[in-house]
Amino acid sequence: MAKLKLGMIGWRGMVGSVLVERMKEEGDFECVDSYFFSTSQVGEKAPELSVSETLKDAHSLEDLSEMDIILTCQGGDYTNSIHPQLREKSWSGIWIDAASALRMKDNACLVLDPLNSDLIKEEIKKGTKDFIGANCTVSLMLLALAGPLRAGEIEWISSMTYQAASGAGAKNMKELVNQMGRLHQVGKELSEDGRSDILKLDALINDSLQGRDSQFPTENFKAPLAGSLIPWIDVPVEGGQTKEEWKAGVEGNKILGNSKTSLIPIDGTCVRIGAMRSHSQALTIKLKKPLDLEKFEKQIKESHEWVDFVPNEREITTQKLSPAHYSGSLKIGVGRVRPMNLGKDFVNVFTVGDQLLWGAAEPLRRFLRLYLDNL
Ligand code: HSE
């Protein structure tokens, strides 16, 4: 059988670059004939992985229509503009997308195969054509809780997030580092002097954090992130939630295929912190029955190959259960598993995962392979 034609869009951005690297590592490009599209450098030389020598036009409906599969990390504006036009032209290929634009459409399937491969396969059989990666915090939380979720033991989840700068974009990651650099610059002399007055150092740093330092950069975050945090991510939605907080419930339940009568309430506060590219979450979980700690831990450990269970002990937790440790890794750290004083049927969990890998790129490339394997 001839190989299917895959059109890659947005492959040079941060998520796109991570995705291409993973696809190379896993040999995904060997399973398809790949074409690389561009919004700005049409006609220039394409990467070696490309079948065509030059970059194709990401706005050409004609060129796009020739693809069997389109995989885009170009962002929501591109999806909102191009996807409806392609479908109107009766293009019936498979659209795989990292952006949120189509996620909650009735005819779109959210992909996170360690949790919903059966649902994905059913959707492929039904003729669904749009397969979308979910929000990063949602995917990472569900991967951490896959075992207990599968066992049907969770009544509701409150998720307090500690989200890395990468979720806000490449410019924001740079700004975080530049904020750190500026703080070091203003505090260097006093911080390196072991006998200096700590309150003087603190006052200097506060001048930068509180807007009295014109060289402290806040163009992207609009506030200090280094040395501080921002308890608001994305736009407001109804009821006082942010859109990031709203996504946890709606996307989480959609991935799990829950119907209106079996919805698991998920809510919490989403907070941006000064980590680079791994999101963390502190989860308060209400179980349907009193906690059996040993059984709950076993469900987590045995849920899938990417879980890295961290015992609830001081040293190993300090060393391992952090954004610093899991960045660049496909492992999902899960620890701080313990009963809570809130009641017999509550359990505490802390989880960390790379926002660009399992949080964005990995579910997309895994869907591609699942689709190709099920042809
Ligand atoms: N919305 C996420 C964040 C990243 O801001 O961290 C993309 O899922």
Side-chain angles (χ1 to χ4, degrees):
M1 198 167 79
K3 286 182 184 171
L4 295 187
K5 290 182 177 176
L6 170 72
M8 295 289 295
I9 330 268
W11 46 277
R12 246 192 293 243
M14 188 162 60
V15 172
S17 310
V18 171
L19 176 65
V20 168
E21 278 315 303
R22 282 292 298 136
M23 291 176 72
K24 280 196 218 164
E25 280 167 20
E26 298 294 338
D28 299 342
F29 288 111
E30 286 148 35
C31 308
V32 283
D33 281 339
S34 308
Y35 295 82
F36 286 70
F37 287 71
S38 172
T39 52
S40 57
Q41 289 166 321
V42 183
E44 291 189 11
K45 197 170 161 30
E48 271 179 20
L49 297 159
S50 172
V51 171
S52 68
E53 278 188 12
T54 54
L55 296 176
K56 288 180 165 286
D57 183 356
H59 289 114
S60 162
L61 297 181
E62 209 170 292
D63 287 357
L64 291 167
S65 304
E66 283 174 14
M67 299 296 119
D68 299 299
I69 304 169
I70 288 173
L71 203 176
T72 170
C73 299
Q74 184 68 28
D77 291 346
Y78 178 81
T79 300
N80 282 330
S81 143
I82 296 295
H83 177 271
Q85 295 185 62
L86 267 179
R87 291 295 186 218
E88 215 156 276
K89 259 176 79 80
S90 303
W91 178 70
S92 60
I94 298 291
W95 179 275
I96 311 174
D97 203 334
S100 64
L102 302 176
R103 281 184 198 149
M104 294 315 291
K105 302 272 185 208
D106 285 343
N107 53 359
C109 172
L110 296 186
V111 292
L112 189 64
D113 70 279
L115 278 109
N116 69 351
S117 62
D118 288 347
L119 183 86
I120 296 171
K121 285 181 203 160
E122 253 173 57
E123 293 287 337
I124 295 172
K125 256 197 217 146
K126 257 174 49 187
T128 295
K129 303 288 181 198
D130 297 336
F131 293 88
I132 319 297
N135 170 269
C136 42
T137 43
V138 178
S139 297
L140 295 170
M141 172 178 62
L142 295 193
L143 284 165
L145 297 181
L149 282 166
R150 239 182 249 137
E153 301 205 337
I154 293 181
E155 190 175 316
W156 56 252
I157 305 167
S158 172
S159 144
M160 300 299 172
T161 75
Y162 305 80
Q163 295 185 222
S166 59
K171 281 186 189 159
N172 295 64
M173 290 174 84
K174 289 181 186 168
E175 186 167 275
L176 170 62
V177 174
N178 290 333
Q179 288 188 353
M180 291 170 177
R182 178 62 187 161
L183 293 182
H184 182 244
Q185 204 179 9
V186 299
K188 187 173 179 341
E189 213 178 298
L190 291 177
S191 70
E192 286 176 0
D193 175 359
R195 287 172 309 172
S196 69
D197 180 347
I198 188 60
L199 293 181
K200 270 193 191 150
L201 173 61
D202 182 52
L204 263 184
I205 296 296
N206 251 343
D207 281 343
S208 292
L209 298 179
Q210 294 182 345
R212 296 184 289 276
D213 172 3
S214 62
Q215 289 182 60
F216 186 77
T218 54
E219 196 188 329
N220 295 288
F221 282 116
K222 311 292 176 207
L225 185 64
S228 190
L229 58 77
I230 306 170
W232 191 285
I233 296 176
D234 212 336
V235 294
V237 297
E238 277 172 28
Q241 275 181 317
T242 66
K243 197 165 184 190
E244 189 79 357
E245 290 152 6
W246 170 80
K247 284 174 180 174
V250 294
E251 292 187 19
N253 280 288
K254 184 166 179 175
I255 291 170
L256 296 169
N258 290 337
S259 65
K260 276 192 182 132
T261 53
S262 60
L263 289 183
I264 299 177
I266 310 172
D267 199 357
T269 304
C270 289
V271 181
R272 185 80 61 205
I273 58 141
M276 284 297 272
R277 63 175 269 184
S278 284
H279 285 354
S280 308
Q281 302 181 62
L283 308 172
T284 297
I285 300 166
K286 166 76 170 65
L287 299 167
K288 290 178 185 165
K289 290 183 188 152
L291 172 69
D292 176 339
L293 188 61
E294 209 176 307
K295 185 171 143 208
F296 187 84
E297 286 188 354
K298 194 162 178 276
Q299 283 169 349
I300 287 189
K301 287 178 199 162
E302 292 177 357
S303 55
H304 52 77
E305 64 191 276
W306 297 278
V307 161
D308 187 26
F309 186 82
V310 180
N312 186 30
E313 292 159 14
R314 181 176 180 171
E315 199 174 325
I316 191 161
T317 299
T318 308
Q319 292 309 316
K320 271 186 80 172
L321 199 58
S322 68
H325 182 80
Y326 288 103
S327 286
S329 163
L330 282 163
K331 290 284 181 194
I332 307 290
V334 187
R336 298 308 326 274
V337 177
R338 63 169 180 84
M340 300 183 88
N341 289 336
L342 300 172
K344 284 189 170 56
D345 33 15
F346 286 83
V347 60
N348 184 75
V349 171
F350 192 88
T351 178
V352 192
D354 187 301
Q355 185 264 329
L356 296 170
L357 285 166
W358 266 119
E362 197 62 11
L364 303 182
R365 64 151 294 277
R366 287 182 60 87
F367 166 73
L368 174 69
R369 290 302 287 261
L370 191 150
Y371 178 74
L372 296 172
D373 290 347
N374 281 276
L375 282 175

